[in-house]
């Protein structure tokens, strides 16, 4: 089910994404994305917005589990005066909580319409993050404004485990299609950033997995590479575990289940930080790496030079 809403706000300031060094502002084209990634933390962010989901007992989790999406086709029309107020030093991220090229957003051409307004009617820089290869339909616009934008397609698994990503991200583009989109953009001289996120246990946390993932994005000369552990909030890890087990990926399902306890999640994050530093060093891209961790870093041991501690 795709629900249509009309919100009041469009571009918002985002201290969180500023701390992540990704953007100063956020622009979302709805509130719940239809890609259906089982680990998605957006439903947890929406858990108090019960009015949005009367059909699902007021629960964003139930709505998400039922495959619902909530999109706002009026988003581009509401981009007005705030565009002129943006400065050249601002960066607007499209998007932070949803995906402007998700299937329901594509129905209304929201990615292109928002992007075009942002680029033609503001002076801000734009950072595009998507899991949908349909963003290449905008290649003409991306190339025209290549000086003011940077494109990322999340890489959540090495190609050798792409079938696992198909289970976890049922309506997003396959990993190979995302790589092909990055290749097409790179060939059109569109600047690229890396987004290895989330790095799920058993999928993208071993050094061998990460070696492969860095090798996948290095040909596109990324300006920086962000990475993040999976967020344990909400039912995401349970949903991943159940779907992986049903698809026959039993060992990976068990690894996901293992980190559902706080203590094991903390240990997984520490191992991931170490493996990311090692893989980035071996690929010669350690200077580009930024690891986003929702903790204060007080208990950190070992090399954490690439970590941005989001609770410090
Ligand atoms: S693409 Fe992003 S916003 Fe959409 S379901 Fe996946 S994780 Fe959530």
């Amino acid at each position: 089910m795709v629900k249509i809403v009309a919100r009041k706000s469009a571009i918002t300031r985002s201290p969180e994404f500023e701390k992540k060094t990704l953007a100063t502002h956020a622009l979302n084209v709805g509130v719940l994305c239809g890609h259906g990634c089982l680990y998605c933390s957006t439903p947890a962010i929406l858990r108090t917005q019960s009015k949005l989901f009367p059909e699902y007992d007021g629960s964003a989790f139930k709505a998400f589990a039922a495959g619902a999406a909530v999109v706002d086709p009026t988003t581009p029309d509401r981009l007005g005066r705030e565009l002129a107020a943006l400065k050249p030093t601002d960066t607007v991220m499209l998007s932070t909580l949803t995906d402007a090229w998700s299937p329901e957003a594509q129905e209304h051409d929201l990615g292109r319409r928002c992007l075009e307004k942002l680029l033609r009617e503001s002076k801000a820089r734009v950072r595009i993050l998507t899991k949908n290869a349909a963003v290449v339909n905008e290649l003409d616009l991306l190339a025209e404004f290549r000086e003011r934008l940077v494109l990322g397609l999340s890489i959540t698994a090495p190609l050798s485990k792409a079938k696992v990503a198909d289970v976890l991200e049922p309506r997003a583009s396959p990993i190979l299609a995302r790589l092909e989109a990055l290749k097409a953009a790179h060939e059109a001289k569109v600047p690229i950033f890396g987004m290895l996120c989330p790095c799920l246990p058993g999928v993208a946390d071993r050094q061998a997995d990460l070696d492969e993932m860095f090798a996948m994005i290095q040909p596109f000369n990324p300006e920086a590479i962000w990475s993040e552990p999976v967020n344990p909030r909400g039912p995401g890890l349970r949903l991943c575990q159940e779907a992986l087990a049903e698809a026959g990926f039993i060992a990976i399902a068990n690894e996901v289940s293992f980190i559902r306890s706080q203590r094991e999640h903390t240990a997984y994050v520490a191992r991931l930080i170490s493996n990311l530093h090692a893989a980035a060093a071996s690929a010669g891209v350690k200077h580009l790496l930024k690891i986003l961790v929702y903790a204060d870093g007080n208990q950190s041991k070992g090399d954490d030079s690439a970590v941005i501690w989001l609770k410090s």
Side-chain angles (χ1 to χ4, degrees):
M1 173 198 161
V2 176
K3 183 169 173 171
I4 306 286
V5 294
R7 300 162 303 158
K8 291 205 176 81
S9 65
I11 297 174
T12 51
R13 250 212 114 85
S14 179
E16 182 188 352
F17 276 74
E18 199 159 4
K19 192 159 192 183
K20 292 178 176 182
T21 68
L22 280 162
T24 55
H25 294 72
L27 174 57
N28 288 291
V29 299
V31 290
L32 196 59
C33 167
H35 277 148
C37 308
L38 300 174
Y39 50 74
C40 184
S41 55
T42 299
I45 294 166
L46 297 174
R47 66 190 179 284
T48 56
Q49 310 266 332
S50 56
K51 282 190 191 146
L52 272 173
F53 308 104
E55 311 86 345
Y56 301 97
D57 304 328
S59 165
F61 296 120
K62 283 190 186 171
F64 192 71
V70 182
V71 69
D72 179 356
T74 69
T75 308
D77 304 328
R78 277 183 292 101
L79 294 175
R81 265 179 302 175
E82 55 195 337
L83 289 176
L86 291 168
K87 300 190 289 290
T89 49
D90 291 329
T91 301
V92 179
M93 186 132 172
L94 181 69
S95 304
T96 59
L97 295 175
T98 57
D99 192 314
W101 280 269
S102 62
E104 71 284 356
Q106 285 185 52
E107 291 268 311
H108 301 277
D109 201 17
L110 292 180
R112 180 162 188 115
R113 288 168 58 209
C114 286
L115 189 57
E116 190 141 30
K117 278 213 158 186
L118 277 169
L119 293 168
R120 296 204 191 283
E121 297 177 29
S122 90
K123 293 191 169 67
R125 293 180 56 77
V126 178
R127 182 181 299 280
I128 300 168
L129 179 62
T130 179
K131 287 196 180 91
N132 204 303
V135 72
V136 289
N137 295 336
E138 278 50 89
L139 210 49
D140 58 324
L141 198 56
L142 300 179
E144 181 184 344
F145 287 94
R146 61 170 69 87
E147 306 296 332
R148 274 179 48 211
L149 62 78
V150 57
L151 172 69
L153 281 99
S154 305
I155 300 297
T156 48
L159 260 184
S160 58
K161 294 182 178 174
K163 285 195 167 63
V164 181
D166 292 344
V167 173
L168 297 169
E169 302 162 339
R171 291 180 291 282
S173 296
I175 295 291
L176 182 58
R178 291 180 220 174
L179 277 181
E180 284 168 351
L182 285 171
K183 182 167 184 278
H186 178 64
E187 284 172 359
K189 299 189 168 41
V190 175
I192 302 293
F193 70 98
M195 182 56 84
L196 311 183
C197 168
C199 293
L200 275 156
V203 184
D205 66 332
R206 310 280 206 279
Q207 193 180 332
D209 301 321
L210 298 166
D211 286 344
E212 192 179 338
M213 291 163 77
F214 281 120
M216 285 157 64
I217 56 165
Q218 263 185 290
F220 312 129
N221 294 334
E223 58 154 35
I225 303 168
W226 280 264
S227 179
E228 198 170 337
V230 68
N231 191 321
R233 273 193 298 180
L237 290 178
R238 176 179 55 77
L239 295 174
C240 290
Q241 175 202 340
E242 290 169 359
L244 288 165
E246 197 179 323
F249 295 110
I250 307 296
I252 300 175
N254 289 340
E255 291 203 37
V256 171
S257 172
F258 194 58
I259 63 156
R260 285 173 63 186
S261 84
Q262 182 59 52
R263 200 179 67 165
E264 295 307 334
H265 187 273
T266 303
Y268 142 76
V269 172
R271 278 194 308 275
L272 178 61
I273 290 172
S274 167
N275 289 342
L276 276 164
H277 280 93
S282 136
V285 293
K286 195 171 166 191
H287 60 295
L288 300 180
L289 181 65
K290 302 178 189 223
I291 309 171
L292 306 176
V293 180
Y294 282 93
D296 58 19
N298 291 341
Q299 309 295 322
S300 170
K301 299 186 183 98
D303 184 1
D304 63 358
S305 53
V307 178
I308 299 176
W309 298 104
L310 296 169
K311 288 191 176 167
S312 66

